């Protein structure tokens, strides 16, 4: 049975509405509480049109109530200030999970298979840019966001240290592996490491929203592409919030012409250039392209471009052109901009490009061109007569795969089990038998171990 403090500290609620980019920022979370659902009594329906409804209910109301009950729910921590009853004093309501903080100086082989807590700064990248949905739910269940340092984490950090001086031309990495093996967590760890190392970071946690037709788009006859001003506008806002101190130290090396408007002259700080795009949404795509071009030339700060759901920017989009055919990703401004840096057509003088493949959305599966470039097994027909896009093959050249282990080691899984048990997130008594049972059931897969192993104890 769930401990009393944990039972009262976690409740169900529906997911919050997301922004146009689909990224709910963590620093603007509000507290929602479960509301009592009205009880709908079923009554016999008459056949005559004039007969009154019994108990004021009808089939449409019942369908609406049943659809509401099927809505996806999640756990949310209750504020400690509401646990004022003396009953909770013995449980220590101010108790928090004690973990060492994720810091670049301690990321060595000595901390492999240890859990580290992410810092609680409001300008941390994952709090501003957002998170993949599974990670967002896990971090809201735990009392503080944390992750397990693995051997592949140290390998990626070592390659980032090389990219600090060599540039992104030879450091375009794509994390691959079985679904749920920890690719998104590894990408988040690399992002936090670079931000703490004084890098300029740009993070896209849900790149599927770039191509699934959830934001507006307009045709630009000047470039013969479709602009996405809303998404570019939000990206600039988040980018400035995370990197404002570093952007203030950089100045433009060339002028930026804005059509039928004043030109932004060379010598202007990059922070001010970003603010131009945040003041007028229509200019955001042009400003975002100019900002990345300036960052590609400067050598003061290394730059990290991190893209989750990486395969989505290589898939045919859900946007439609006037003839109702689906738009190619390189004809949309945002995916095309990312493809130019992932392919090496544009490179950062100092920095790296990281991507993580995802299989959560089967609509955007790994395309054949990207699978062949990474040397991965294709998920579709791959014979010699299978149709391939020459443009996508060019955009996929030079990418280096980084294989993430499909299963956690026993030491890594034991540390993860210990974190969830110390945070009192388990209803069962934590012991060796429970750990081995959940580890065997999940096959060592990180996501299955947490969601179908540890959290399944809460549904009993």
């Amino acid at each position: 049975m769930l401990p009393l403090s944990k039972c009262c500290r976690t409740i169900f609620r529906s997911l919050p509405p997301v922004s146009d980019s689909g990224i709910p920022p963590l620093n603007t979370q509000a507290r929602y509480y479960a509301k009592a659902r009205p009880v709908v009594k079923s009554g016999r329906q008459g056949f005559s049109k004039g007969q009154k409804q019994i108990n004021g209910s009808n089939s449409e109301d019942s369908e609406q109530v049943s659809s509401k009950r099927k809505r996806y729910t999640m756990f949310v921590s209750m504020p400690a200030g509401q646990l004022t009853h003396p009953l909770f004093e013995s449980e220590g309501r101010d108790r928090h999970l004690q973990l060492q903080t994720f810091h670049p100086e301690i990321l060595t082989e000595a901390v492999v298979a240890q859990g580290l807590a992410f810092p609680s700064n409001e300008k941390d990248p994952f709090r501003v840019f957002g998170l993949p949905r599974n990670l967002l739910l896990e971090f809201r269940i735990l009392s503080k966001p944390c992750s397990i340092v693995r051997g592949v984490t140290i390998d990626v950090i070592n390659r980032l240290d090389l990219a600090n001086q060599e540039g992104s031309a030879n450091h375009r990495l794509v994390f691959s592996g079985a679904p749920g093996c920890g690719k998104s967590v590894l990408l988040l760890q690399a992002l936090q490491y670079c931000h703490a190392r004084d890098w300029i970071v740009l993070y896209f946690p849900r790149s599927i929203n770039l191509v699934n037709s959830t934001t507006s788009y307009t045709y630009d006859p000047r470039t013969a592409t479709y602009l996405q001003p809303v998404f570019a506008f939000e990206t600039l806002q988040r980018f400035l919030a995370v990197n404002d101190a570093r952007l203030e130290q950089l100045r433009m090396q060339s002028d930026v012409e804005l059509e039928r408007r004043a030109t932004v002259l060379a010598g202007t700080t990059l922070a001010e250039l970003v603010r131009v795009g945040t003041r007028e949404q229509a200019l955001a795509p042009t400003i975002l392209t100019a900002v990345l071009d300036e960052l590609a030339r400067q050598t003061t700060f290394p730059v990290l471009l991190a893209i989750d759901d990486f395969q989505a920017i290589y898939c045919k989009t859900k946007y439609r052109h006037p003839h109702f055919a689906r738009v190619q990703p390189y004809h949309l401004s945002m995916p095309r901009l990312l493809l130019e840096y992932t392919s090496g057509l544009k490179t950062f003088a100092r920095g790296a490009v990281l991507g993580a493949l995802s299989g959560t959305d089967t609509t955007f599966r790994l395309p054949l061109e990207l699978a062949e470039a990474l040397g991965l097994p294709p998920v579709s027909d791959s014979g010699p007569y299978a149709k391939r896009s020459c443009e996508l093959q060019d955009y996929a050249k030079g990418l280096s795969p980084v294989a993430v282990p499909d299963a956690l080691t026993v030491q890594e899984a034991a540390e993860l089990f210990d974190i969830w048990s110390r945070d009192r997130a388990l209803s069962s008594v934590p012991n060796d038998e429970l750990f081995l049972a959940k580890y065997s059931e999940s096959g060592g897969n990180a996501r299955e171990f947490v969601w179908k192993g540890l959290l399944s104890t809460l549904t009993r």
Side-chain angles (χ1 to χ4, degrees):
M1 183 176 181
L2 189 67
L4 184 58
S5 63
K6 189 67 179 181
C7 179
C8 297
R9 192 166 61 88
T10 58
I11 56 178
F12 283 107
R13 75 166 174 87
S14 299
L15 287 173
V18 298
S19 62
D20 291 333
S21 63
I23 308 173
L26 295 184
N27 58 347
T28 58
Q29 295 177 10
R31 298 292 181 179
Y32 294 81
Y33 302 95
K35 296 182 180 179
R37 301 183 184 275
V39 178
V40 179
K41 300 180 180 180
S42 59
R44 299 178 60 185
Q45 301 295 324
F47 293 96
S48 61
K49 296 183 179 180
Q51 185 175 354
K52 295 183 179 179
Q53 300 174 359
I54 301 178
N55 293 329
S57 64
N58 52 31
S59 59
E60 293 181 359
D61 294 337
S62 301
E63 292 176 359
Q64 291 177 359
V65 173
S66 61
S67 63
K68 290 181 180 179
R69 290 174 179 171
K70 295 179 181 179
R71 294 177 64 184
Y72 193 55
T73 55
M74 62 179 294
F75 291 102
V76 174
S77 299
M78 290 184 63
Q82 291 197 0
L83 304 179
T84 56
H85 194 279
L87 181 64
F88 302 108
E89 295 294 336
S90 59
E91 292 291 338
R93 66 172 183 264
D94 295 329
R95 174 186 173 186
H96 294 286
L97 184 65
Q98 299 297 326
L99 291 174
Q100 199 170 4
T101 304
F102 188 94
H103 193 272
E105 300 299 332
I106 66 173
L107 292 177
T108 61
E109 297 288 346
V111 296
V112 172
Q114 291 188 17
L116 299 180
F118 290 118
S120 58
N121 190 348
E122 291 185 356
K123 288 191 175 182
D124 283 331
F126 75 91
R127 297 182 183 275
V128 179
F129 289 111
L131 286 168
R133 190 170 296 275
N134 285 335
L135 285 182
L136 178 65
L137 299 181
E138 289 182 21
F139 287 175
R140 284 182 173 174
I141 297 174
L142 289 170
S143 59
K144 61 175 60 176
C146 58
S147 65
I148 305 297
V149 178
R150 307 171 68 181
V152 68
T153 305
I154 305 302
D155 296 338
V156 171
I157 286 175
N158 292 335
R159 300 191 65 168
L160 289 174
D161 290 337
L162 293 176
N164 190 352
Q165 303 297 331
E166 297 180 359
S168 65
N170 298 321
H171 298 279
R172 293 173 286 126
L173 313 179
V174 180
F175 303 151
S176 61
C181 67
K183 300 182 291 294
S184 296
V185 175
L186 178 60
L187 185 65
L188 180 60
Q189 290 174 336
L191 178 74
Q192 291 293 122
Y193 174 82
C194 291
H195 184 257
R197 281 291 191 186
D198 208 24
W199 287 45
I200 294 176
V201 296
L202 179 58
Y203 179 42
F204 292 90
R206 305 180 190 178
S207 298
I208 288 179
N209 292 328
L210 292 170
V211 294
N212 63 358
S213 189
T214 54
T215 59
S216 61
Y217 66 114
T218 59
Y219 182 73
D220 181 17
R222 180 175 56 89
T223 60
T225 59
Y226 295 90
L227 303 180
Q228 296 170 283
V230 175
F231 207 109
F233 176 78
E234 293 184 354
T235 301
L236 286 175
Q237 287 182 319
R238 300 173 190 274
F239 182 68
L240 181 62
V242 174
N243 306 283
D244 54 348
R246 302 178 180 100
L247 295 177
E248 289 287 356
Q249 304 178 38
L250 300 176
R251 296 190 176 274
M252 298 170 53
Q253 302 180 24
S254 60
D255 299 341
V256 176
E257 296 183 0
L258 306 177
E259 48 184 315
R260 297 191 301 274
R261 292 175 177 84
T263 301
V264 182
L265 300 177
T268 307
T269 63
L270 288 188
E272 182 58 32
L273 178 61
V274 174
R275 292 189 187 98
V276 173
T278 58
R279 286 194 291 264
E280 189 170 350
Q281 191 176 96
L283 299 177
T286 303
I287 297 297
L288 180 59
T289 302
V291 169
L292 290 183
D293 289 342
E294 293 289 339
L295 292 176
R297 290 194 290 265
Q298 60 84 34
T299 58
T300 306
F301 296 101
V303 183
L304 175 68
L305 176 60
I307 307 169
D308 211 334
D309 296 329
F310 184 76
Q311 80 289 341
I313 63 176
Y314 286 83
C315 297
K316 190 173 293 187
T317 73
K318 288 187 177 182
Y319 289 90
R320 303 280 181 170
H321 64 57
H323 296 288
F324 208 67
R326 295 172 66 176
V327 177
Q328 294 290 347
Y330 46 82
H331 290 158
L332 282 172
S333 62
M334 292 294 294
R336 184 186 182 93
L337 181 62
L338 300 184
L339 287 171
E340 289 175 345
Y341 286 92
T342 59
S343 64
L345 295 177
K346 294 182 179 180
T347 59
F348 299 110
R350 295 177 60 193
V353 177
L354 301 182
L357 301 178
S358 172
T360 54
D361 192 336
T362 57
T363 306
F364 299 97
R365 300 188 300 173
L366 180 67
L368 177 60
E369 297 85 355
L370 184 59
E372 292 179 340
L374 297 174
L376 301 176
V379 297
S380 58
D381 295 337
S382 59
Y385 301 105
K387 187 176 180 180
R388 295 168 175 83
S389 170
C390 297
E391 292 83 0
L392 293 180
Q393 287 178 329
D394 292 337
Y395 282 124
K397 287 182 179 178
L399 294 173
S400 301
V402 176
V404 180
D406 293 343
L408 298 169
T409 64
V410 176
Q411 293 78 12
E412 294 167 353
E415 178 69 11
L416 189 61
F417 180 83
D418 183 60
I419 288 175
W420 284 87
S421 60
R422 279 190 291 156
D423 206 30
R424 295 180 292 178
L426 306 179
S427 61
S428 303
V429 178
N431 50 41
D432 293 344
E433 289 78 8
L434 178 63
F435 164 71
L436 291 175
K438 299 305 179 183
Y439 184 76
S440 301
E441 291 171 3
S442 62
N445 183 273
R447 185 191 302 165
E448 300 292 329
F449 181 69
V450 173
W451 286 96
K452 294 186 178 179
L454 304 182
L455 293 183
S456 64
T457 62
L458 301 176
T459 60
R460 294 180 180 178

